[in-house]
Amino acid sequence: AAAVFGAYANQGQICMSTERIIVDKKIADAFVEKLASRARSLSAGDPRSGQPILGSLVSAGAAERVRELSNDAAAHGAVIVVPAEINGAISTAAVVDHVTPKMKVYAEESFGPMAAVIRVDGDDEAVRTANDTEYGLSAAVFSQNINRALDVAMRVNSGMCHINGPTVADEAQMPFGGTKASGYGRFGGKAGIAEFTDLRWISIATKAPHYPF
């Protein structure tokens, strides 16, 4: 449910959207099956003619990018579990499995309703894969073992990381910002005050101070 929300909310057009889903091989088949089932259930269309879950992307070109990334992934060996159906600026939810570094979608943002699944073997490979990107805004770690999840979260190079919650999360009182090409600095709460103000020191001497010479 968190992966579906993170990948497809607002048609994937959120800076915090879930672009890459890194899944342990032990559970990958079951996970992809459930993800694909949910993706197929999401209706897409013009909100003015009904109540679809997925509405319009910002442009027809943005929808075409989803198709292009899918085609490139397929050409390099990925499995298109749920293909994107494009109609102008409307795109249905897509699921691409067995994504590797050879594919554009491994490194590039789709900024559309597309989930790219990368299969890994264990925590160390998961962390290496998570950090193998120029971006670092929001991440998420899911585990029944909170201590294990916290260890992984501490090793992921991102400005924000949510344990057992989706990547799409924002609270006004919390520091918001990323690392690497996802920017620098933070806004929100006390962090925002610090970033957008200049810290000064003004002293007042009420009597002549002592000078050493």
Side-chain angles (χ1 to χ4, degrees), residues 171-175 187-194:
E171 295 183 18
Q173 78 277 17
M174 302 308 295
F187 62 85
K190 292 182 179 179
I193 295 174

Side-chain angles (χ1 to χ4, degrees), residues 52-124:
I53 302 299
L54 302 180
S56 172
L57 276 74
V58 66
S59 68
E64 274 300 319
R65 176 169 171 75
V66 174
R67 192 204 310 271
E68 291 169 4
L69 289 173
S70 294
N71 291 342
D72 173 80
H76 289 88
V79 177
I80 310 301
V81 182
V82 182
E85 297 178 8
I86 309 296
N87 181 13
I90 304 293
S91 173
T92 59
V95 176
V96 181
D97 192 11
H98 295 281
V99 170
T100 70
K102 297 179 181 179
M103 305 162 192
K104 290 182 179 180
V105 74
Y106 178 91
E108 299 180 14
E109 290 183 290
S110 67
F111 217 63
M114 184 179 190
V117 178
I118 305 169
R119 299 182 179 222
V120 297
D121 188 7
D123 293 359
D124 290 342

